[in-house]
Amino acid sequence: MHNLTLYIDCFFNPSPYTTKPSFISSALILMKLAIASLSYFFIVVTLFIIPFFGCCAHAQLSPNFYARTCPSLPTIVRNAMSQAVAREARMGASILRLFFHDCFVNGCDASILLDDTATFTGEKNAFPNQNSVRGFEVIDTIKTRVEAACNATVSCADILALATRDGVVLLGGTSWTVALGRRDARTASQSDANNQLPSPFANLATLISSFAAKGLTASDLTVLSGGHTIGQSQCLLFKTRIYNETNIDPSFATTRKATCPASGGDTNLAPFDITPTRFDNNYYKALVARRGLLHSDQELFNSGSQDALVRTYSNNAAAFSRDFAAAMAKMSAISPLTGTNGEIRKNCRLVN
């Protein structure tokens, strides 16, 4: 900027011995004042913009977020999940469902992990979660080990995201890169959990709308529903389907009725497909055969917009695995708390 001022001086005053008319002197003064003001403006803007973009860059999720502050994190989570799945293979599916139910209610912020207290109502007793979501003790165990290694550093939200990925991989699924840097919510919403989580009784249009509200496409809906290739469901959630619906294989309905009576037995479990502890594409093969367990499952293959994709996944396990991994990475980024928002909980069940 100083050089520019000298250049203008030389243009208006080529010789120190030349006398300038007064109007040129006035113009020079005004020009110098303008340049000085402009210089100050750029300095101020630069000082503002650099911290701003530095803040925003820091606020973005990154796979290397804890590379320096907690390098042992991936190993701690993976070892704990290996132990949990070895004890009970179903736990991989339970953690996956826990993460899904967290992300779909105001983002992936670990709000689902908060316990109810005398002065706080969490999401655990919302209808879709009550006596249904599980795996909290596994997350507690991981959190305790992480705190011992890296005190007050890693969020419960990030622990849940990593545990979900590792649980799927342990059951034969494809891995994906987990971006980190989420912080934990200080609030939760039972009403939002009741209203925002997709219902197992919903039709295809409602399911597509529910996913669209989270920035997810109909294709995301279909591939993420493939998470039902592992795990089980309670009789209460599929009783109406096996007793009243017609787009169901009769022999399949008969088999399910054996452990899900028309009256009672609401908490009895049945697998979503024939390999409930193996992450494969049998879920989609079941849909094509009209053996979807939940009404919402079969809606994906019921002469609607998702039939072709379901058929593709039923014939191509590699395509399903690849697309599932990509969709999980996308879902994992729903409305995270970053920067100074939220907190790093010391106990995943309680706000600090």
Side-chain angles (χ1 to χ4, degrees):
M1 192 64 69
H2 178 65
N3 290 336
L4 179 59
T5 305
L6 291 176
Y7 174 81
I8 293 172
D9 271 341
C10 292
F11 179 82
F12 279 101
N13 187 16
S15 169
Y17 303 106
T18 302
T19 303
K20 298 185 292 285
S22 59
F23 78 89
I24 293 181
S25 298
S26 299
L28 268 174
I29 292 170
L30 290 174
M31 177 118 3
K32 288 180 178 180
L33 287 172
I35 291 171
S37 298
L38 190 60
S39 177
Y40 176 78
F41 170 80
F42 279 120
I43 291 170
V44 170
V45 169
T46 300
L47 290 174
F48 171 78
I49 287 177
I50 289 174
F52 175 81
F53 281 107
C55 169
C56 292
H58 176 71
Q60 298 303 309
L61 301 182
S62 166
N64 301 315
F65 191 84
Y66 300 108
R68 288 188 296 176
T69 57
C70 194
S72 59
L73 173 64
T75 301
I76 294 172
V77 176
R78 185 164 50 251
N79 288 345
M81 283 302 297
S82 295
Q83 293 166 358
V85 171
R87 285 192 302 270
E88 181 189 15
R90 182 189 172 201
M91 190 54 67
S94 297
I95 296 296
L96 173 60
R97 184 164 183 260
L98 186 60
F99 186 52
F100 178 86
H101 280 222
D102 181 43
C103 291
F104 254 66
V105 182
N106 301 317
C108 308
D109 59 4
S111 58
I112 196 171
L113 303 180
L114 292 169
D115 284 342
D116 288 357
T117 69
T119 57
F120 180 88
T121 301
E123 297 165 11
K124 288 184 177 179
N125 287 310
F127 176 73
N129 297 333
Q130 190 175 34
N131 300 317
S132 176
V133 290
R134 59 197 296 271
F136 299 107
E137 294 80 7
V138 173
I139 301 303
D140 291 339
T141 296
I142 299 173
K143 178 64 170 175
T144 298
R145 295 179 185 179
V146 170
E147 285 295 302
C150 321
N151 182 54
T153 301
V154 181
S155 68
C156 300
D158 279 342
I159 287 173
L160 181 54
L162 285 168
T164 299
R165 189 269 312 276
D166 290 348
V168 168
V169 171
L170 287 163
L171 295 179
T174 298
S175 185
W176 62 90
T177 300
V178 178
L180 302 167
R182 300 168 192 78
R183 288 168 65 84
D184 299 322
R186 296 188 179 98
T187 61
S189 176
Q190 186 176 110
S191 62
D192 285 346
N194 282 324
N195 295 323
Q196 295 180 13
L197 286 167
S199 167
F201 309 106
N203 62 28
L204 181 59
T206 301
L207 292 168
I208 290 174
S209 177
S210 295
F211 275 66
K214 306 300 175 184
L216 299 170
T217 66
S219 295
D220 292 329
L221 156 67
T222 299
V223 70
L224 289 171
S225 295
H228 285 174
T229 191
I230 52 177
Q232 304 177 79
S233 180
Q234 294 184 12
C235 165
L236 173 67
L237 302 180
F238 60 85
K239 183 175 295 189
T240 299
R241 170 155 170 74
I242 63 175
Y243 284 97
N244 299 329
E245 296 185 6
T246 57
N247 62 337
I248 187 169
D249 175 67
S251 64
F252 173 71
T254 299
T255 299
R256 292 282 71 90
K257 288 175 183 177
T259 55
C260 183
S263 178
D266 288 351
T267 60
N268 292 351
L269 297 173
F272 285 105
D273 67 22
I274 59 174
T275 51
T277 59
R278 184 69 184 171
F279 202 93
D280 53 29
N281 66 334
N282 279 330
Y283 168 78
Y284 296 102
K285 293 180 180 180
L287 298 186
V288 171
R290 296 185 302 150
R291 289 172 167 251
L293 186 61
L294 303 178
H295 176 83
S296 57
D297 289 327
Q298 197 60 56
E299 279 290 291
L300 301 177
F301 191 84
N302 192 32
S303 301
S305 64
Q306 299 306 295
D307 281 17
L309 187 56
V310 168
R311 196 176 292 279
T312 294
Y313 290 153
S314 73
N315 293 320
N316 192 333
F320 163 54
S321 293
R322 178 197 65 224
D323 292 353
F324 183 83
M328 282 299 298
K330 184 177 179 181
M331 188 189 79
S332 299
I334 295 177
S335 304
L337 296 173
T338 58
T340 58
N341 295 317
E343 64 182 14
I344 303 298
R345 282 185 219 143
K346 298 175 182 177
N347 179 338
C348 291
R349 295 174 179 262
L350 303 168
V351 296
N352 291 342

